[in-house]
Amino acid sequence: MVREGIILGHKVSKRGLEVDRANVEVIEKQPPPVSVKGVRSFLGHAGFYRRFIEDFSKISSPICRLLEKEVKFLFDDACIKAFEGLKKRLVTAQIIIAPDWNLPFEWMCDPSDNAVGVVLGQRREKVFHSIYYSSKMLDATQINYTVTEKELLAVVYAFDKFRSYLVGTHVIVYTDHAAIRYLFSKKDAKPRLDNHNHFVEYVQIRESFPDEQLFTIPAAEVPWYADIVNLIVSGVYLPKATSQQRKKLYHDSRFYIWDEPYLFKQGTDQLVRRYIPQTEVNQVLESYHSSPYGGHFQDAHAFARSCNRYQRTGNISKRHEMPLTNILEVEIFDDWGIDFMGPFPPSFGNKYILLAVDYVSKWVEAVPLPTNDAKVVVNFVRKNIFARFGTSRAMISDGSAHLCNSLLKNLLAKYGVKHKVSTTYHPQTCGQVEISNREVKQILEKTVNTQRKDWEMKLDNALWAYRTAYKTPIGASLYN
């Protein structure tokens, strides 16, 4: 995949991968460190080539202890021996070969008192060649393991470290035979050593391997779009498909994009959407309906019919499915409708919700409030509407006293905003804000607890759900 030469500090040749001698010579001439900073610098340089050094953690353990907290810095004889040993190993580091996936892999485990080391390799012409050296220090608990436990810990560590090499391949493991044989004769071994389900009378090991079908997919889990993916990836059509079916499948596949493991499609609205298998449908419906930011119950009719909370608060009717009647607007954020909701059960000192909606974009702003007087209305209009979206042309509300007063009248007159008031018994004048009130309240009903005193905490999630819901008049959600 790469040409011969120096790549990221390693030398690539026909023989394999080896250390860059120029970098190694710098480390070889380096004197012993005299501070913690020098220790970190040396271990950082040497650690770059740790995959070339057998038992790197075991050799460097005396130096690594100097990095522990509340340890006095003392570069003693053990540290000097480890320092010189690492430099020597770097100079004489072996050449690492590239794996051959047609040959079986072999690894050898070597645990010690305070570290475990493994080496992965392959035999070519009966000669073992190294692919990867790896090691790690044992923590305070693992140091107290018995010999058998450490042997098995090394095996588990190697499986985890070399998993990308070993999945689906033939592997030969070399470890201490005497220590492993100990498990067959000790009937009261610890649970982490001896799982009784893996043994028959503590003598015979089960020959069945649960992951033998690792790369197979059960028929029930095959996604509905498997035929499209097969055609995109490998050009393979459905077996026994007619010529007409092949033409249709070829035509449809042009609009799909395969980015493993996901399938995307570009729709007529130029939006790219991810397609999901049948097994994920209920998870998506539950997320859109029952999660804290849910509320798209129009898109989850079948799922909602089985929802306990939903059944307690009513069902979807034809009224929900009818498109809204549009009114004539000029530009976005020109006309705002405003209204109070409440009083509700007290929630963190708040009893009311003041809500405003833009008649063009259907964008909703709402805040929880302890009162519903004129002052809070003026502050809301000035800070949440004018300061964020600019001065509107008209403000629509009903004729209640907290929305028709001298404070709000003076504010609107100052900015040249016309105040439209709905007549008595004709709330359809501000119908958009009434609809928004109803929808936000219904979302809150489905998310609050039984006491309904946590609605203030749920209001932001309810607004998010309503803002991201599909709006029929504009043909999209607000975030699209």
Side-chain angles (χ1 to χ4, degrees), residues 303-475:
F303 181 83
R305 291 171 60 186
S306 61
C307 177
N308 184 29
R309 278 193 180 181
Y310 191 86
Q311 299 305 320
R312 294 203 304 264
T313 56
N315 209 335
I316 297 176
S317 65
K318 291 294 182 181
R319 180 180 60 184
H320 296 85
E321 302 175 5
M322 294 177 62
L324 302 178
T325 302
N326 298 332
I327 63 175
L328 181 62
E329 300 92 1
V330 180
E331 291 183 5
I332 190 172
F333 303 135
D334 270 359
D335 294 342
W336 284 86
I338 187 170
D339 195 14
F340 269 102
M341 290 188 286
F344 299 117
S347 177
F348 299 95
N350 297 308
K351 298 174 63 177
Y352 298 91
I353 296 176
L354 180 55
L355 183 142
V357 57
D358 174 46
Y359 273 70
V360 179
S361 66
K362 316 304 178 187
W363 180 266
V364 172
E365 287 290 324
V367 293
L369 296 169
T371 61
N372 62 341
D373 53 43
K375 290 183 179 180
V376 298
V377 176
V378 171
N379 290 333
F380 175 79
V381 172
R382 186 172 62 247
K383 296 179 181 179
N384 292 70
I385 298 180
F386 290 174
R388 295 186 60 190
F389 304 99
T391 306
S392 61
R393 294 190 178 185
M395 186 75 65
I396 306 172
S397 70
D398 56 26
S400 56
H402 42 259
L403 295 173
C404 292
N405 50 73
S406 59
L407 290 178
L408 183 60
K409 180 180 179 181
N410 293 336
L411 176 67
L412 298 181
K414 178 181 178 180
Y415 291 100
V417 180
K418 185 178 181 179
H419 189 188
K420 298 181 180 180
V421 181
S422 62
T423 56
T424 308
Y425 305 114
H426 290 82
Q428 58 266 33
T429 303
C430 50
Q432 183 59 58
V433 71
E434 297 292 344
I435 292 174
S436 301
N437 285 349
R438 182 189 66 203
E439 299 298 334
V440 172
K441 284 194 290 187
Q442 287 185 353
I443 296 173
L444 286 175
E445 288 176 1
K446 297 173 176 63
T447 57
V448 297
N449 57 24
T450 55
Q451 289 78 23
R452 303 196 175 192
K453 292 185 178 181
D454 62 337
W455 60 264
E456 193 268 345
M457 299 176 59
K458 306 291 185 179
L459 180 58
D460 287 338
N461 290 334
L463 290 175
W464 172 261
Y466 185 75
R467 290 165 177 169
T468 55
Y470 180 85
K471 303 297 188 297
T472 305
I474 63 177

